Amino acid sequence: MVVGRSIWGAKSKFAFAATALAAGTGAVAIAKSDDPATSLKVCTTVPVRLFRLSLTAATIAFDYEYSLLGLPEDSIERTRVKREVHTRSARRLEQLCFKNGGIYIKLGQHIGQLEYLVPQEYINTLRESMLNRCPTSSYDQVCQVVKKELGGAPDEIFDEFDPVPIASASLAQVHVARTHQGEKVAVKVQHMHMTDTAAADYATVELIVNTLHRLFPSFDYRWLVDEVRDSLPKELDFLIEAKNSIKCMDNFRRLSPHIADYVYAPAVYWNLSTTKLLTMEFVDGAQVNDLKSIQKLGIAPHDIARLVSRTFAEMMFKHGFVHCDPHFANLLVRKMPSHERDIFGRIKPQLVLLDHGLYKELDISTRTNYAALWKGLVLADANAIKENCKKLGAGEDLYALFAGILTMRPWNRVIDPAVDHLAIQGNASDQSELQMYASLYFPQITELLHKLPRVILLMLKTNDCLRAVNNALVQRPSVESFIIIGRVSSEALIDEKLSHAKSLFSLLRIWLEEISLEVRFGIMQAALWILQFRRAFILWTGKRYTKSLPYI
């Protein structure tokens, strides 16, 4: 009972001290503000949100500290109790994110997409809820934003404006409208006061995370706070998002013309867009994980999976300008507007990229090393993997862990020369193995995340999102996606070498290397087809044998 009182006392002091600090800062902000009414509203809201954050953080920290107290490090009991604490803490974090809203939901989304970088209980709790249960602004609030940004009410600026949003996210929501010229558009409206509260919310989150790290050194998510600090201001400026979409499409036309027609971003209506409101062409399509709608369109899911893999591989390895939030809601699929078909008569898909707020640029050195690393992973080249992991900051001792995080496979499988060495079977045994590795090497994972460049941390998140998309489309491991990644990363490395070639001999050497790689990937593709045919044949004969068995 004494321990319980001391825990509660420590939690309360921590929460009240943090809230008092916010209140004092708020009083200064009101005194200096040009808009005291808005500042007063913000400064009366922020301390409440900070108190919730402080209390939740203290509760989670002390739950870990005292629930695991005295339990042997490698004991079964400690593992069981730790999983229970993970689950309780994930639920507390989920409740906090929804109560506070805004950037807290954004943080929850980041955490929910870092599979095997945080305990699996957090992923299971946060991944779906943070994407599908975002709060919405009232229509009155939407009207206020539209009037402030465009100078009139929605029904004045637009010929039609649906008051019910078709989608809502952490920072904004989307309404369908029609311009006075009769064009159907999607209007993205930022939630009210996001800009006002974001800076204060970020400061409080940073304060709590840094304080917890000082109190409990094993709790270290400062890298996540740093990432939000850099990305959030850009995501809150919708004109930056609009420019990103233009740059993305321009990159495909210049650097990847062979697939430029198969990737699309909605056109921006610049005269109806501001930093807090973005009007775009309305694109009708199926969400990338909606298999029923995709089948109705007559498009093969495998074709979409290949297109998604190729699109993001081109961004990462050739463009160096990467859409870092490719979750289900941000990827739509539709038929090619030209109704183009392949040689087998199948309808070709077009991938529509939405939400261009979060992009990362990879400098030439990082992009080249990352491409070389992925080429090594796909070709099971242990020396190339070690060398490029080291170049990216993983050091001499964490290369195997970094390779495992990228591929979701243990080191012995990563360097296995089999064509399907990177395939994840998706069965219970495979999943438990991955979770075991994540749990066993959690301290090393934390160390690795501090060593890697932050842009690579966003690439890890992007990889996790793409893996989820691929699994939803083909519902089994797609080795072909890894072959595509291997091809594109190799092409990018060849292009980089060609740009520095200074003699006929070096050009000839690069050309021979390109032919050798093409032959190797061709053999891998052929081996994959044979492997798939063999598995399908075994499955078919097994079913026939089962049907032919006599009833007993």
Side-chain angles (χ1 to χ4, degrees):
M1 186 65 71
V2 174
V3 173
R5 284 200 208 101
S6 67
I7 295 171
W8 172 251
K11 289 193 298 184
S12 300
K13 289 175 185 176
F14 184 71
F16 279 114
T19 307
L21 177 63
T25 306
V28 174
I30 294 170
K32 294 183 176 181
S33 175
D34 295 330
D35 185 1
T38 300
S39 295
L40 177 63
K41 186 173 182 180
V42 171
C43 291
T44 53
T45 302
V46 169
V48 175
R49 292 145 74 96
L50 176 57
F51 179 77
R52 289 195 199 110
L53 169 62
S54 306
L55 192 60
T56 302
T59 302
I60 290 173
F62 282 102
D63 194 0
Y64 277 105
E65 193 73 9
Y66 285 91
S67 296
L68 301 176
L69 191 65
L71 296 177
E73 192 64 39
D74 297 324
S75 66
I76 296 174
E77 179 65 10
R78 184 183 178 90
T79 302
R80 183 189 65 79
V81 172
K82 186 184 284 189
R83 286 176 178 169
E84 291 175 355
V85 180
H86 287 335
T87 301
R88 288 197 299 270
S89 300
R91 288 171 182 161
R92 290 178 183 129
L93 186 59
E94 179 187 40
Q95 291 172 2
L96 170 72
C97 291
F98 282 123
K99 284 181 179 177
N100 279 3
I103 75 161
Y104 290 88
I105 292 180
K106 199 72 183 174
L107 277 166
Q109 289 176 345
H110 272 292
I111 294 170
Q113 292 169 346
L114 294 171
E115 192 162 14
Y116 305 114
L117 299 184
V118 298
Q120 191 65 25
E121 289 79 6
Y122 286 84
I123 306 298
N124 296 340
T125 302
L126 297 175
R127 171 168 280 178
E128 292 301 321
S129 64
M130 289 293 107
L131 292 175
N132 299 329
R133 289 167 48 196
C134 291
T136 59
S137 297
S138 68
Y139 185 58
D140 286 341
Q141 291 173 323
V142 170
C143 289
Q144 289 180 55
V145 175
V146 174
K147 188 169 184 178
K148 183 178 179 181
E149 297 300 309
L150 299 180
D155 56 358
E156 295 172 348
I157 303 298
F158 299 94
D159 190 49
E160 298 174 13
F161 191 94
D162 190 341
V164 180
I166 59 168
S168 182
S170 55
L171 307 182
Q173 62 192 47
V174 180
H175 293 258
V176 178
R178 196 171 293 276
T179 67
H180 290 296
Q181 290 72 39
E183 297 164 315
K184 192 175 182 181
V185 293
V187 184
K188 184 175 180 178
V189 183
Q190 194 171 115
H191 296 312
M192 282 190 68
H193 304 308
M194 272 302 308
T195 307
D196 300 320
T197 61
D201 283 342
Y202 168 76
T204 57
V205 170
E206 183 178 40
L207 170 68
I208 299 300
V209 170
N210 287 337
T211 302
L212 284 172
H213 174 61
R214 283 194 291 271
L215 293 173
F216 308 102
S218 61
F219 179 92
D220 195 356
Y221 283 94
R222 291 173 295 171
W223 59 271
L224 184 58
V225 177
D226 290 342
E227 180 49 48
V228 173
R229 178 186 60 201
D230 288 349
S231 63
L232 188 62
K234 297 173 185 176
E235 290 189 80
L236 287 170
D237 187 340
F238 290 171
L239 291 181
I240 291 179
E241 177 179 343
K243 291 172 184 175
N244 285 344
S245 70
I246 300 297
K247 183 175 179 178
C248 174
M249 290 298 97
D250 183 56
N251 282 343
F252 275 101
R253 284 187 290 269
R254 290 187 305 105
L255 304 172
S256 307
H258 50 291
I259 66 164
D261 290 340
Y262 302 99
V263 184
Y264 189 76
V268 176
Y269 288 71
W270 293 97
N271 61 322
L272 295 173
S273 298
T274 69
T275 57
K276 296 184 181 181
L277 186 147
L278 180 61
T279 304
M280 304 160 285
E281 167 194 8
F282 182 88
V283 177
D284 195 12
Q287 199 166 287
V288 74
N289 64 330
D290 186 354
L291 291 178
K292 288 184 179 179
S293 297
I294 288 171
Q295 288 167 354
K296 286 180 182 178
L297 291 172
I299 300 173
H302 281 85
D303 291 341
I304 300 170
R306 283 191 287 268
L307 178 57
V308 170
S309 296
R310 184 87 198 192
T311 297
F312 282 87
E314 297 276 340
M315 284 191 206
M316 286 188 280
F317 305 129
K318 293 185 179 180
H319 306 175
F321 186 66
V322 187
H323 187 307
C324 288
D325 203 12
H327 60 73
F328 297 134
N330 289 341
L331 303 178
L332 297 182
V333 179
R334 66 177 181 177
K335 297 177 183 179
M336 280 289 292
S338 63
H339 300 289
E340 187 179 345
R341 294 175 180 266
D342 63 18
I343 58 174
F344 300 107
R346 295 179 301 192
I347 298 170
K348 287 192 175 183
Q350 186 179 62
L351 182 66
V352 181
L353 303 176
L354 305 178
D355 194 351
H356 297 263
L358 183 58
Y359 270 76
K360 280 294 175 182
E361 293 197 52
L362 283 73
D363 59 62
I364 292 176
S365 175
T366 303
R367 177 165 54 86
T368 302
N369 293 334
Y370 194 55
L373 172 56
W374 267 109
K375 175 189 169 188
L377 289 168
V378 174
L379 297 178
D381 185 340
N383 291 330
I385 295 169
K386 293 177 186 178
E387 178 187 348
N388 289 288
C389 281
K390 184 178 178 181
K391 287 180 180 178
L392 288 169
E396 296 281 358
D397 54 339
L398 295 174
Y399 64 87
L401 183 61
F402 187 24
I405 289 172
L406 284 170
T407 62
M408 294 292 109
R409 306 308 292 136
W411 178 250
N412 64 319
R413 287 294 304 274
V414 170
I415 58 174
D416 187 333
V419 68
D420 61 343
H421 69 292
L422 297 181
I424 301 174
Q425 302 306 320
N427 54 35
S429 173
D430 240 3
Q431 293 299 319
S432 66
E433 181 186 23
L434 291 171
Q435 291 173 22
M436 180 193 71
Y437 272 89
S439 176
L440 189 62
Y441 295 108
F442 189 69
Q444 291 91 333
I445 290 174
T446 302
E447 180 187 352
L448 176 64
L449 295 179
H450 277 287
K451 287 187 172 184
L452 294 174
R454 282 211 309 275
V455 68
I456 296 298
L457 298 181
L458 262 290
M459 294 303 102
L460 296 179
K461 175 195 168 187
T462 302
N463 288 338
D464 285 339
C465 290
L466 294 174
R467 190 178 293 112
V469 168
N470 186 78
N471 290 342
L473 284 166
V474 299
Q475 298 181 326
R476 64 175 182 270
S478 177
V479 181
E480 191 164 12
S481 66
F482 285 112
I483 294 178
I484 290 170
I485 290 170
R487 281 183 183 274
V488 178
S489 59
S490 298
E491 290 169 5
L493 292 170
I494 292 293
D495 291 342
E496 183 63 22
K497 289 178 181 179
L498 286 172
S499 68
H500 292 93
K502 296 180 180 179
S503 67
L504 184 60
F505 176 75
S506 59
L507 285 172
L508 180 62
R509 184 165 47 82
I510 295 168
W511 180 65
L512 290 173
E513 181 185 352
E514 184 177 12
I515 293 175
S516 173
L517 285 168
E518 194 59 42
V519 169
R520 190 166 180 181
F521 284 116
I523 292 171
M524 287 180 69
Q525 185 70 66
L528 175 62
W529 287 336
I530 293 170
L531 186 64
Q532 289 173 338
F533 175 79
R534 183 182 174 187
R535 286 175 178 168
F537 181 75
I538 292 171
L539 182 64
W540 177 73
T541 53
K543 285 182 178 179
R544 289 201 60 182
Y545 175 74
T546 303
K547 288 181 180 179
S548 66
L549 288 175
Y551 292 104
I552 299 176

